[in-house]
Amino acid sequence: MPELTTAQIASPLDPISDEEIVARVVAGETVLFELLMRRHNQRVYRTVRAILGADQEAEDVMQQTYLNAYSHLASFAGQARFTTWLTSIAVNESLGRRRRAGAAALRIVDSDEDPILHLRATGPDPEQQVMTSELQHLLEEEIMSLPEHYRTVLVMRQVEGLSTEETAECLSVSSDVVKTRLRRARVMLREALLERAGVTFDTLFAFQAPRCDRVVAAVMSKIS
């Protein structure tokens, strides 16, 4: 059977649910695992990066997440959504990697420090688009400076758009804990900083096409 291209894979199968694709991969259509990765790369990346607090290891952890998921596809019971199941694997792999490497020191913004000062230090820019890009970068930095358990909930809930219940399931905590952490994260981040930034959560920590291709190619080379 000739090898399918990404376009050939994605086009006719996009309407098919994750669960249906999982069943077909388990039945032997390994090539379809690529579609699952491309569908969920953004969410997995954002989750991994939120927990690790840095970008250096994100791709390695993503690859291991997909390899773990692939090796356990046959045991996927479908009791949870595939995306929740996959995100839980990403959370566990990220936490395990962090424990093995030792707790990384996170920069925590001093409570007396006004994050608006970071914006003022950038100075005016004649191009609004350039300013928006700079402000978005600053907002990403401020989010990454939050303590990990607050940062992770904030990214999963507001950047990636998971529900409270999905986030709780992925992190193995209660819905009340998720709500509390999200509320505190918002306070720590400061509403004034978000308003000044002028960007929306869903544009943050974008997983660009070259990285998507790199992760997909690395995983597919190991399972094909």
Side-chain angles (χ1 to χ4, degrees), residues 7-218:
Q8 289 172 321
I9 292 172
S11 179
L13 295 176
D14 275 344
I16 298 180
S17 69
D18 290 339
E19 290 71 23
E20 291 177 88
I21 296 174
V22 167
R24 292 179 62 173
V25 173
V26 171
E29 295 184 70
T30 305
V31 67
L32 298 185
F33 193 70
E34 177 176 342
L35 180 56
L36 288 175
M37 285 190 288
R38 292 189 182 278
R39 280 185 177 180
H40 299 288
N41 265 339
Q42 182 84 280
R43 173 169 294 177
V44 173
Y45 169 70
R46 286 169 167 170
T47 300
V48 167
R49 192 172 188 271
I51 293 173
L52 294 180
D55 195 40
Q56 290 84 346
E57 292 184 289
E59 290 186 23
D60 287 343
V61 174
M62 287 181 68
Q63 290 179 31
Q64 191 59 50
T65 293
Y66 285 122
L67 291 172
N68 292 348
Y70 180 79
S71 65
H72 292 89
L73 275 184
S75 63
F76 172 63
Q79 296 177 348
R81 293 172 58 202
F82 175 78
T83 184
T84 304
W85 182 75
L86 179 63
T87 304
S88 296
I89 294 175
V91 168
N92 290 332
E93 180 62 30
S94 300
L95 292 175
R97 180 70 64 97
R98 196 185 62 184
R99 283 193 297 269
R100 291 191 294 272
L106 296 176
R107 181 180 69 85
I108 301 177
V109 177
D110 188 273
S111 59
D112 295 328
E113 181 181 358
D114 185 352
I116 295 300
L117 294 178
H118 293 291
L119 297 179
R120 291 173 183 158
T122 65
D125 191 299
E127 298 291 336
Q128 183 61 40
Q129 185 174 3
V130 174
M131 174 62 83
T132 299
S133 177
E134 291 177 354
L135 293 177
Q136 179 172 311
H137 177 69
L138 288 170
L139 179 55
E140 289 180 352
E141 285 188 342
E142 292 301 329
I143 291 175
M144 296 309 296
S145 74
L146 296 174
E148 177 265 324
H149 52 291
Y150 295 128
R151 177 179 69 238
T152 302
V153 167
L154 182 69
V155 170
M156 294 177 74
R157 284 283 290 109
Q158 293 214 250
V159 178
E160 191 51 41
L162 272 70
S163 68
T164 297
E165 292 72 22
E166 288 173 325
T167 303
E169 183 176 350
C170 290
L171 298 177
S172 299
V173 298
S174 68
S175 294
D176 286 341
V177 167
V178 170
K179 292 175 183 177
T180 298
R181 290 180 182 177
L182 179 59
R183 183 168 59 251
R184 291 178 180 173
R186 286 169 171 166
V187 171
M188 296 171 74
L189 191 59
R190 302 285 296 272
E191 196 65 31
L193 176 58
L194 297 180
E195 293 176 1
R196 187 70 176 269
V199 296
T200 59
F201 276 111
D202 60 1
T203 65
L204 302 180
F205 309 120
F207 192 73
Q208 304 296 338
R211 305 188 76 178
C212 180
D213 292 339
R214 191 161 57 242
V215 169
V216 168

